[in-house]
Each structure stands twice: as C-alpha cells, then as structure tokens.
Amino acid sequence: MRAVVLGGSGFVGSHLVDQMLERGDEVVVVDSYLTGRRQNLAHNHGRRGFRLVEHDICQPIPVVGQFDAVFNLASPASPIDYARFPLETLDVGSLGTRNALILARAAGATFVQASTSEVYGDPLVHPQREDYFGNVNTVGPRSCYDEAKRFSEALITTYARVYGTRVQLARIFNTYGPRMRVDDGRVVPAFVTQALRGEDFTVFGDGSQTRSFCYVDDLVRGLLLLCEKGDGMPVNLGNPVELTLREFAEAVRQVVGKGGAVRSVRPLPENDPRQRRPVIERALTLLGWAPRVPLEEGLLPTVAYFRAELGL
Ligand code: UDP
C-alpha cells in the first residue's frame, strides 16, 4: 500500500514504517521532531519507497496524491513529554488531527488514529473495555494529553459521519521496545537503564499500581490489521498480562541480570492511573489479533538497545 505516517520518526511510528517498508509498502513520513528522532529512521534514507518530510502537522500538511492510509502517530506521548509540551500536545490533538483528516479525505485514504488507554483516565472499571467512558480529570496535569486524545476521537468519528471518510481508532496501552528515549521518563526506559547501571528502581507511590506492557512489534501488527479490517469504532490494542510496578521491576531485574532495591521515591503523581489492563476481545474477533511476544522475550531486544544507547 501507499501510506503517510504522521509522527513516523517517533518510537511507535518508526517501527510501523520499518514493518511497512519491509513488506514492500511505500511510505511518506511527516515529523516535526518535537519528540521524534532522526536516528530512528536514519537506516531507511535512500531506501526505495521511503520519503521524509519535516513538518508540524498543526500547519496544513504539504503532501499530495492518492494514498491507501494515513496513520496519525504525531503527538508527545510520555507524561514528562506532554508536561513539557502541554499546548503543543493540545494543538496536535486538535488542529493537527484536523489537518490529518483533511489529508486523508483528499487522498481517499483510510485514517488510522493512535488513540490511547489514557482516554479511560484513572479507570473505575477494571479491566477496560472499549465501551467504558473513562474517568479523566479535565483540569489535572494529564488532561492536556488525555483530553487532546479524547477530542481527537470525537473529531475523527464526527468527520467520518459528516464526510464518509473511513477511519479507525486504536486505543494503545503501554507499549515498549527499542527506540524509546532513555530520558522519556516512562517506566520502561527508567527501570531498564536503572537495572543496567545497577541502581535502585525508582518506584512512584507504593508500586502497587498496575500496567500491562505490549511489545512494539505486536502493537504495529495490530495497527496494520486495524487499518485493513477495523469497523470504525475504537479497538483496544495492548497486552492483557497485568503486573504491579514492583512485579515489573523484578521482571526487568531477571532479564538484565542485575539491579538495585525497589525503592519508593515519591508519592504517586496526581491522577496517575492505579490500574490498567485492556480487554482485547474486540481486537481478537474483529482483527484476529492478540499479542504474541511475552515480556521476558520483548525485554531482550529492549535491554540490548538501552545497553547500546548508554554505551555499556
Ligand atoms: N513510574 C515509576 N517510576 C518511574 C517512572 C514511572 O514508578 O521511574 C510509574 C508511573 O507513576 C506509572 C507507571 O510507572 O504509575 C507507568 O508510567 P509511565 O510513565 O511509563 O506511563 P503511563 O502508563 O503512566 O502513561
């Protein structure tokens, strides 16, 4: 297929681009490099079917032509990134998504949105199904991201109703793998680099909060299936194996082979979800998708990547 990947130089975007090029697709990447990195796609320069446009999608997108798909992965995504760029995050979720939809409509493309489990906020219903409306503090520190993504979902589904554009919404749960930034503040880079350096694991709160970690290759396979087979309504993409943060630290210690004590270093950040696990029934029945890569396996290339990044 021919596709445009907005935010294609980021963590998830760059893996999507690689999988598409690998299977022979043509890909145009658009990225502003606000949080994406040139080095994530450097290996594709000059490769057939690959083109890169440096551009902020909050401005009209200068890509013309017919495409089969527009994937919108453009947004800061880690809590410290969106805290650092709160207005940019709101803009890309609103103005940026609008421009992305205009591009998809003009190109006759299917629009695929990287939405998020953050639309469920600090969920009062557990595990989370797509029909749960969520529990988000509209004025809290995470609202710039959560509400931007919620607004995006409203905009995209409305746009589809008004113009008949084909759209798909992936609600992405915690994802990990090579190319996460060492300093992005998320728990996977934090714990893996701490273990590699033999430092203590810095747990926020008492470490009883839970997350469910999906390896990036599984997620990307899900995004491609969703583009092809989705029904236009949100689909959770995540790994339903749920761990407390303390259990996750132990899993990292096992794979790295070292690591310090699990230490609570600060209270749980405001509105930090206390539990999170996807129900993936819809992904399974609609797309035939379920994660294949267990945590111990996915952590191996992840740890190798961070080891190289740290020069260890
Ligand atoms: N967290 C932690 N130590 C860290 C970084 C994060 O205990 O050094 C916690 C964080 O408070 C949250 C969980 O790990 O409860 C996952 O955080 P992350 O930023 O990776 O993603 P989130 O799921 O919150 O978007």
Side-chain angles (χ1 to χ4, degrees), residues 6 57 61 70 72 93-113 151-160 163 165-169:
L6 309 169
I57 65 161
I61 303 167
V70 171
N72 183 20
S94 50
L95 303 170
T97 303
R98 181 72 193 232
N99 286 327
L101 284 162
I102 291 169
L103 168 68
R105 182 171 176 230
T110 297
F111 184 90
V112 182
Q113 170 73 354
F151 177 82
S152 300
E153 289 199 3
L155 178 62
I156 292 161
T157 46
T158 303
Y159 202 90
Y163 292 116
T165 306
R166 191 163 176 264
V167 301
Q168 309 295 353
L169 302 170

Side-chain angles (χ1 to χ4, degrees), residues 84-264:
R84 208 162 99 221
F85 300 115
L87 293 173
E88 290 85 348
T89 302
L90 283 158
D91 281 351
V92 80
S94 50
L95 303 170
T97 303
R98 181 72 193 232
N99 286 327
L101 284 162
I102 291 169
L103 168 68
R105 182 171 176 230
T110 297
F111 184 90
V112 182
Q113 170 73 354
S115 189
T116 169
S117 56
E118 282 280 329
V119 301
Y120 303 123
D122 185 7
L124 304 176
V125 170
H126 190 73
Q128 292 77 52
R129 293 164 44 101
E130 292 87 347
D131 55 9
Y132 176 47
F133 292 165
N135 175 41
V136 172
N137 175 1
T138 58
V139 293
R142 299 172 88 97
S143 71
C144 61
Y145 183 68
D146 298 9
E147 295 297 348
K149 290 289 189 180
R150 288 170 67 95
F151 177 82
S152 300
E153 289 199 3
L155 178 62
I156 292 161
T157 46
T158 303
Y159 202 90
R161 281 181 203 117
V162 172
Y163 292 116
T165 306
R166 191 163 176 264
V167 301
Q168 309 295 353
L169 302 170
R171 290 196 180 144
I172 301 173
F173 283 64
N174 293 66
T175 304
Y176 70 97
R179 301 185 193 155
M180 298 183 95
R181 293 196 336 267
V182 166
D183 64 352
D184 91 353
R186 285 187 279 199
V187 70
V188 174
F191 282 10
V192 171
T193 55
Q194 286 159 0
L196 285 167
R197 290 171 168 151
E199 298 169 357
D200 290 350
F201 296 101
T202 57
V203 167
F204 302 164
D206 64 6
S208 65
Q209 71 270 40
T210 66
R211 292 294 187 272
S212 308
F213 298 97
C214 184
Y215 188 60
V216 66
D217 287 357
D218 277 332
L219 171 71
V220 165
R221 186 167 47 82
L223 289 173
L224 290 167
L225 284 166
L226 181 69
C227 178
E228 203 188 312
K229 299 182 175 174
D231 63 2
M233 285 290 108
V235 176
N236 288 339
L237 292 179
N239 192 319
V241 177
E242 181 183 8
L243 298 176
T244 66
L245 270 273
R246 283 182 178 275
E247 289 167 337
F248 179 62
E250 293 308 329
V252 171
R253 186 203 305 282
Q254 284 294 317
V255 173
V256 175
K258 61 179 182 177
V262 177
R263 212 156 45 82
S264 176

Side-chain angles (χ1 to χ4, degrees), residues 8 14 20 38 59 63 80 126 133 139 141 203 208 218 220 262 276 284 293:
S14 64
M20 294 185 83
R38 290 173 205 277
Q59 305 299 325
V63 174
I80 68 155
H126 190 73
F133 292 165
V139 293
V203 167
S208 65
D218 277 332
V220 165
V262 177
R276 183 181 283 164
L284 198 57
V293 182

Side-chain angles (χ1 to χ4, degrees), residues 237-307:
L237 292 179
N239 192 319
V241 177
E242 181 183 8
L243 298 176
T244 66
L245 270 273
R246 283 182 178 275
E247 289 167 337
F248 179 62
E250 293 308 329
V252 171
R253 186 203 305 282
Q254 284 294 317
V255 173
V256 175
K258 61 179 182 177
V262 177
R263 212 156 45 82
S264 176
V265 293
R266 53 173 283 194
L268 196 64
E270 198 182 342
N271 303 143
D272 196 298
R274 280 158 299 177
Q275 49 184 359
R276 183 181 283 164
R277 169 158 56 105
V279 172
I280 60 165
E281 238 171 72
R282 264 179 56 74
L284 198 57
T285 47
L286 196 64
L287 317 176
W289 180 88
R292 291 176 186 156
V293 182
L295 186 63
E296 318 78 69
E297 207 175 291
L299 277 176
L300 290 171
T302 311
V303 167
Y305 175 79
F306 284 117
R307 189 174 272 132

